[in-house]
Amino acid sequence: MPHLSTARPKLRWLLTRLLYIPRGLLLLLILLLLLLTSLWKGYQYGVASERLLQSRLLTLDDVPNRTGSNHTQIPRIIHHIYKDTAIPEKWAGSYGSCERLHPQWERVLWTDTMAAAFIAEQYPWFLACYQSYTYDIQRADALRYFLIYHFGGFYIDLDVGCRRALEPLVGFDALFPKTKPVGVSNDMMAGGPGHPFFYQLMHALERNNRWLVTKYPTVFFSTGPMFVNLQLASYIFQEDRNQTGSAVASSSVRILPSMFYDSTEHSFFAHVPGSSWHGNDVTAIFFIWNHLTAILSLLFFAILAFFFRRSLRARRAAKRADEEDNHFIELEDREHLLSHRA
């Protein structure tokens, strides 16, 4: 039986060769594990959030099919945002449609100059964060939350037009449209002035102001749709804890289903091609998401193949080393035998 002191170095030597993983591969394995964990947690969070949103979807019975409402919570104001007053031709039709259907409503087109002055005058505590954003769309996103909180009304993106008058919707406290595949969109929203959810959005912006390598994820999580959805899920969870009785009946945020938001006979809105802030990174992200199973499978088998190859090479090296050691021992034995005979 070999002595323990000589067995331990051999064991360490064997483990070093059999379990050797380069730093790059180890980092890749850790990133893969974090990705899978994040996806699983995101999936669970998304399922829970979808249940909450589904319970707050408006129905045909909730929305009065008439041109007036006796209970007004949302002021009759429509806010738009663009860098200047020269609306691009591709959005002129959608922009004009809301004006034609609401001749008596107040409509405001917020330019970059107006927006900066509004934030500086009314919310100076946020001005540094507002100016620090890398992308213009982040400022546009943030601005809409402040506008609805401050003035109330409807915010509508320039690539979203009006198919019907919005009068039947002014009786709700706050509205967001359902989007596919999950969650809500922030290209249209409405609320009364001082609404607590828009207050929460405003005050969550600074701590979410992070750069996430490329434009799309940075905007998506710092000010855009995912930012809104995460805040909305948190708000609804808290709202449910604080309420008694029917949470849906007393909920201050209601969700417009696709029949009121997409191209249906009941829809209040029409859509034209937009998403002007999307770049090549979103194309790559959507490709990865749509082929996630195949990509993860390929990555998993590639890692296995690489590890197997490393292990095989280590075994071969160990075998060669053993053969060399045996050969050396044989030579030593021969020399020892010859010297003994001599």
Side-chain angles (χ1 to χ4, degrees), residues 26 65 74 107 115 130 158 189 195 205 219 251 257 279 303 337:
L26 182 60
N65 189 20
I74 302 175
R107 294 176 67 247
Y130 182 79
L158 291 176
M189 63 190 69
H195 191 282
L205 286 165
V219 174
S251 174
I303 291 173
L337 182 61

Side-chain angles (χ1 to χ4, degrees), residues 42-74:
Y43 171 77
Q44 291 180 314
Y45 193 83
V47 169
S49 300
E50 276 299 293
R51 292 198 192 102
L52 293 175
L53 296 181
Q54 290 293 332
S55 68
R56 286 159 174 75
L57 289 175
L58 296 178
T59 67
L60 287 174
D61 294 332
D62 294 322
V63 179
N65 189 20
R66 50 194 171 88
T67 58
S69 174
N70 295 324
H71 179 66
T72 301
Q73 294 288 352
I74 302 175

